[in-house]
């Protein structure tokens, strides 16, 4: 990130990172410590969508697009929607 975020947004950014790593994990690497940075490239886009107030379906579609177009996977729409919901709940919980 090129700019310093306010504390609440930084906390949200970190929580989204953790959700992508632990819950989304479409290639199944969350148990491999050396692969911890695997999803960092997707984080800024998801974070931006959340800050822009995008709905769950938009965020889920973004995650699904990453899975299909960038990772070459079949995609898991059900999991993408579940993860989008988790991300949005964090935004509400933090009051961002």
């Amino acid at each position: 990130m090129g700019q310093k975020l306010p504390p609440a947004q930084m906390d949200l950014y970190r929580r989204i990172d953790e959700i992508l790593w632990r819950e989304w994990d479409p290639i199944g690497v969350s148990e491999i410590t050396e692969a911890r940075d695997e999803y960092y490239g997707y984080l800024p886009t998801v974070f931006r969508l959340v800050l822009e107030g995008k709905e769950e379906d938009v965020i889920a579609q973004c995650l699904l697009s990453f899975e299909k177009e960038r990772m070459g996977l079949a995609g898991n729409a059900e999991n993408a929607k579940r993860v989008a919901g988790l991300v949005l709940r964090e935004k509400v919980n933090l009051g961002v």
Side-chain angles (χ1 to χ4, degrees):
M1 306 255 355
Q3 61 188 14
K4 187 167 172 85
L5 297 172
Q9 286 185 8
M10 191 64 206
D11 201 17
L12 178 62
Y13 189 84
R14 288 184 183 124
R15 290 182 188 201
I16 292 172
D17 172 47
E18 198 61 30
I19 290 169
L20 295 181
W21 175 245
R22 298 271 176 223
E23 301 290 336
W24 181 46
D25 191 25
I27 59 174
V29 296
S30 66
E31 298 300 319
I32 303 169
T33 305
E34 295 81 14
R36 182 59 182 92
D37 64 348
E38 185 63 35
Y39 305 125
Y40 286 175
Y42 307 106
L43 179 56
T45 301
V46 175
F47 180 68
R48 180 182 48 79
L49 292 174
V50 171
L51 286 185
E52 289 174 354
K54 300 299 184 190
E55 295 181 8
E56 183 177 285
D57 288 342
V58 173
I59 296 167
Q61 188 57 46
C62 176
L63 293 170
L64 198 56
S65 173
F66 290 154
E67 292 174 27
K68 292 179 174 183
E69 297 170 20
R70 295 192 187 172
M71 297 177 190
L73 303 172
N76 184 334
E78 185 177 311
N79 190 54
K81 186 162 178 73
R82 181 184 70 81
V83 169
L86 292 172
V87 165
L88 290 176
R89 275 191 285 289
E90 286 300 322
K91 179 184 180 189
V92 170
N93 290 344
L94 292 171
V96 176

